[in-house]
Amino acid sequence: MASEAPETDKFKVHKLSLKGSAKLVAEFFQYSIHTILFQRGVYPAEDFTAVKKYGLNMLVSSDDQVRAYIKKIMSQLDKWMVGGKISKLVIVITDKDTGEHVERWQFDVQILAKPKSKSKSKSKTTTSTADQENSTPSSTGKEEQPEKDKTEAEIQSEIAAIFRQITASVTFLPQLQGDCTFNVLVYADASSEVPVEWGDSDAKEIVNGERVQLRGFSTQSHRVDTLVSYRLVD
Amino acid sequence: MATASVSTPLKSHAGLFSSRTAGGRMPLTPSPIQRAAALTVNSSPFTPDRASNDGHRVPSKSVYGGNLAAHFAKASKNHRESPKSNIARVVSTPRKVLELGVSNFTLTGTGAHTKAPASPNAKKPVPVRKKTSKTKLTYNTDRFIPNRSSSSAISNAGSAKIRIRQNHQRPRSVHGDASSILSSATDDAIAALEGLNIDDEEPVSYSRPSPSTVAYQETLADACGVNLKTRILQFKPTPPESSKPIDLRQQYNRPLRPANATSAQFRRRIATAPERVLDAPGLIDDYYLNLLDWSSNNQVAIGLERNVYVWSADEGSVNCLLETSPDTYVSSVKWSGDGAYVGVGLGTGEVQIWDVAEGVKIRSMLGHDTRVGVMGWSKHLLSTGARSGLVFNHDVRIAEHKVAELVSHTSEVCGLEWRSDGAQLATGGNDNLVSIWDARSLAVPKFTKTNHRAAVKALAWCPWNMNLLATGGGSYDRHIHFWNSTSGARVNSIDTGSQVTSLRWSPHYREIVSSSGFPDNSLSIWSYPTLVRNVEIPAHESRVLHSCLSPDGQMLATAAADESLKFWKIFEKKPGSGVGIGSAGAAAKADRPKMMTIR
């Protein structure tokens, strides 16, 4: 017993940190969605109120419908994050009139400390041989350099830097014309459970888009990279 | 390459296309990956095949059969030649197997692929499927070079491989028949067939729309070197509509703080000097009287002791309308709605109605035995409030003029105001009560409000909100209360800091002006509903007793205990926003001497 207890304890601690990290990332996503909706004018500025977060004034929609919509997304996202099922979150801004995707914000999530080592490794073996030739070295390379022991404050400041970049990005992003709407895509593990509100989709890539890599941040268990692609104005 | 061609399924919808490709190419593709759901999806490809056959080959079906062998041979050759070892291999194997099956079929009769009927091999239902699969393959071989880009083919091939593996793992259960039939074939072949079979079945159900997704996913995944097992999910509900169209430029330029009424740019300039000052000698300094009124014909009536004077704002002329008998005095004056008559209340309780144009008294109405301190018209109805606390309604058209007696106040009634539509009447008295009456049932007040702690003389109905009544209390109270006259609820309050002697709403601005007695003797203009005091004008040297608005609503006249009558342009309309009587009056006044004695 005595020997067992500490072990389970350790396990728990580990789990919790992963969970906490997942939560942190999910929260980051939530604020990202709000920020992008505000910065890109998907909803009118009056609908947003400032909230202190990450040492910044984050603008969060105060429209009940929008909040409820994002909340629904987040509730599922949280589950997926904790389960380590997500590799990307994408916010696509679409022109309402033409249906053209005009802007695409992509957040790549890497899980550094593999949570479900079993399932992960399994899938690895299945795919690895087939995959290897196609996979770029960079992706595997990244996974091997987990950043450890970051303080909460460091992570927060990394996140704040991302939001500053998102805010600043309005300076180079083309001005969106007309009414726009948005969609949230998730690149989920094929084995993950999919609630009814979610359905398969294409990647909604920007045709002939320009891409700009923004900053990323990492926690003990996750690394998140940000990429925005947008349609070039002719 | 050959594989690629297989997949091509021209006719199918785009969605099917991809899935089918997978199926064709790696024949097997789909179902295994997708699990149950996948199965259904895959089915679709089948249909397309048929269609494609029809379209292309309809005429030549029989021929087709004959050529099959050749086709296959070609196909196989091609495969071998193809440089991509992996892909070629995978693809090729199944083909060979199929070839065998195909040949059988062809012999039997290629033509009826749809029904594919009797399997020569006694394979039961399977044959049909087989056949279909066969057809597909052959077909594909024909098409061969097809529409697909080589790159896609490659990527597909990669995925195909994986799928095959998967098939191996969990395959046979799905189609026992098929597998048994094909026992002779290699594993790969079996897998391939299974995949095909599955495909065939699926046409029925399309539950999954996303075959295209699969293809995209694969391409994308390959491109990015990402795990192939991910799927892209979209949150399907449509996001809420934006409440209004947005101009981003505006958004970026928007001021940090929304411009509101208090910002300098938008603040209204209110003239704080009187427009005109007239003497009003003999004005009785009594809070409970109402001695000043401005008619819709732009005439101001004022009661000065025993006289009523009418000052024409248009002409600046003054007329003495009447002089009472020496034993009494004028306690209230009120213009009728059309501005033709003025009601005059006397200290004896008598009420007289005068025709101003003619300068003659039309009638006297008796009934009150105490002074009539306040009156109000509603069309032909004249309501009079007396010191006794009684309010009478007089129908001025009929001999028996008293049509209602409103009993509520126990002390002198000093405030009385009809709502503009005549549906409600508000009265205030020295008993600190505000009573709101429904014109249809005057037996009891609809509401009696006891919040004021002093006499209520100032009453005003809001011109833009019929349900809103403002009432102001005397020196011990100093409050303005705002009431919802429908629900009886108090909706707002202001502590003015001094006795409230009158209240007037601006018809143009969301503002209300209050006149003050002790200690300020001022006029205050309040924004409503923010209740911000926009300006306070030190108006008179002693308490302001009465006030009234010009018919155009721009000018306020005040009479005070300092025996002066002052005109204030506090609600001036912005230039160019229309010319009212007031402005005409002002113009006329401009010609006249600044000071003018009414007498």
Side-chain angles (χ1 to χ4, degrees), chain B residues 117-280:
Chain B
S119 55
N121 304 348
K123 287 174 184 180
K124 303 166 196 171
V126 183
V128 177
R129 288 167 195 166
K130 221 195 194 176
K131 193 188 188 175
T132 45
S133 58
K134 231 193 305 169
T135 3
K136 242 196 232 161
L137 288 181
T138 32
Y139 181 8
N140 296 336
T141 25
D142 285 347
R143 309 225 89 225
F144 209 66
I145 297 208
N147 338 356
R148 298 209 131 228
S149 69
S150 57
S151 66
S152 66
I154 295 170
S155 62
N156 286 333
S159 59
K161 256 197 223 157
I162 295 163
R163 278 177 198 149
I164 290 173
R165 258 182 218 120
Q166 286 169 348
N167 283 342
H168 285 295
Q169 289 168 354
R170 33 124 74 208
R172 319 221 160 137
S173 57
V174 182
H175 288 277
D177 292 347
S179 58
S180 65
I181 293 162
L182 296 179
S183 57
S184 60
T186 64
D187 277 353
D188 282 352
I190 293 170
L193 286 180
E194 278 178 356
L196 291 178
N197 289 342
I198 292 164
D199 285 352
D200 294 350
E201 287 180 356
E202 329 252 305
V204 189
S205 59
Y206 272 68
S207 56
R208 226 174 136 187
S210 52
S212 62
T213 323
V214 180
Y216 272 118
Q217 255 179 305
E218 284 162 8
T219 338
L220 196 86
D222 281 354
C224 309
V226 169
N227 182 353
L228 282 174
K229 288 188 71 185
T230 57
R231 49 196 284 204
I232 305 178
L233 298 175
Q234 177 185 357
F235 188 61
K236 286 187 293 188
T238 50
E241 289 287 314
S242 167
S243 56
K244 65 166 202 191
I246 293 152
D247 184 1
L248 270 181
R249 247 171 303 222
Q250 217 177 34
Q251 180 151 331
Y252 297 150
N253 290 339
R254 117 200 118 93
L256 288 177
R257 281 191 18 200
N260 56 23
T262 59
S263 80
Q265 203 173 349
F266 294 97
R267 198 183 306 131
R268 193 166 72 79
R269 284 208 52 176
I270 300 171
T272 54
E275 191 79 5
R276 161 155 312 228
V277 181
L278 303 177
D279 270 350

Side-chain angles (χ1 to χ4, degrees), chain A residues 37-47 59 63 65-66 69 72-73 80 87-88 96 104 120 123 126-127 129-131 133-136 139 170 174-194 196-205, chain B residues 33-35 37 41 85-86 154-163 165-166 169 207-214 216-252 254 258:
Chain A
L37 293 184
F38 170 78
Q39 291 295 346
R40 305 311 289 146
V42 177
Y43 294 104
E46 304 90 275
D47 287 4
L59 284 150
D63 182 303
Q65 284 185 313
V66 177
Y69 185 78
K72 250 188 253 162
I73 295 175
W80 277 329
S87 60
K88 283 183 208 298
K96 255 186 208 167
R104 190 175 187 276
K120 257 288 178 195
S123 68
T126 26
T127 52
T129 40
D131 220 338
E133 319 221 349
N134 295 327
S135 64
T136 49
S139 72
V170 300
Q175 187 183 327
L176 299 181
Q177 308 286 339
D179 280 359
C180 292
T181 183
F182 76 107
N183 280 114
V184 173
L185 306 182
V186 156
Y187 285 48
D189 199 285
S191 64
S192 51
E193 297 215 349
V194 180
V196 284
E197 292 100 348
W198 295 77
D200 288 284
S201 162
D202 64 310
K204 295 190 191 288
E205 292 277 9
Chain B
I33 288 184
Q34 318 280 12
R35 298 172 299 186
V41 174
S85 54
N86 291 343
I154 295 170
S155 62
N156 286 333
S159 59
K161 256 197 223 157
I162 295 163
R163 278 177 198 149
R165 258 182 218 120
Q166 286 169 348
Q169 289 168 354
S207 56
R208 226 174 136 187
S210 52
S212 62
T213 323
V214 180
Y216 272 118
Q217 255 179 305
E218 284 162 8
T219 338
L220 196 86
D222 281 354
C224 309
V226 169
N227 182 353
L228 282 174
K229 288 188 71 185
T230 57
R231 49 196 284 204
I232 305 178
L233 298 175
Q234 177 185 357
F235 188 61
K236 286 187 293 188
T238 50
E241 289 287 314
S242 167
S243 56
K244 65 166 202 191
I246 293 152
D247 184 1
L248 270 181
R249 247 171 303 222
Q250 217 177 34
Q251 180 151 331
Y252 297 150
R254 117 200 118 93

Side-chain angles (χ1 to χ4, degrees), chain A residues 14 17 19 33 36 38 67 69-70 75 80 92 101 113 148 159 171 176 184 191 200 202 221 223 225 234:
Chain A
H14 178 69
S17 76
K19 240 186 195 166
I33 295 173
I36 289 167
F38 170 78
R67 287 177 77 101
Y69 185 78
I70 294 174
S75 66
W80 277 329
V92 182
H101 306 310
K148 297 265 179 191
I159 293 178
T171 55
L176 299 181
V184 173
S191 64
D200 288 284
D202 64 310
S221 346
R223 159 138 203 101
D225 283 299
D234 4 60

Side-chain angles (χ1 to χ4, degrees), chain B residues 316-389:
Chain B
S317 58
V318 179
N319 289 308
C320 180
L321 182 64
L322 65 99
E323 181 165 353
T324 67
S325 56
D327 60 337
T328 185
Y329 57 94
V330 175
S331 57
S332 60
V333 295
K334 194 74 178 179
W335 289 95
S336 62
D338 58 5
Y341 310 99
V342 67
V344 178
L346 302 180
T348 57
E350 181 184 354
V351 175
Q352 300 180 345
I353 296 174
W354 287 74
D355 182 324
V356 177
E358 302 289 325
V360 296
K361 185 176 86 172
I362 293 177
R363 73 182 293 181
S364 282
M365 298 186 293
L366 304 173
H368 287 295
D369 43 17
T370 51
R371 72 174 182 191
V372 175
V374 66
M375 293 185 293
W377 289 85
S378 173
K379 296 187 182 126
H380 55 271
L381 272 185
L382 177 62
S383 299
T384 56
R387 195 167 206 167
S388 61

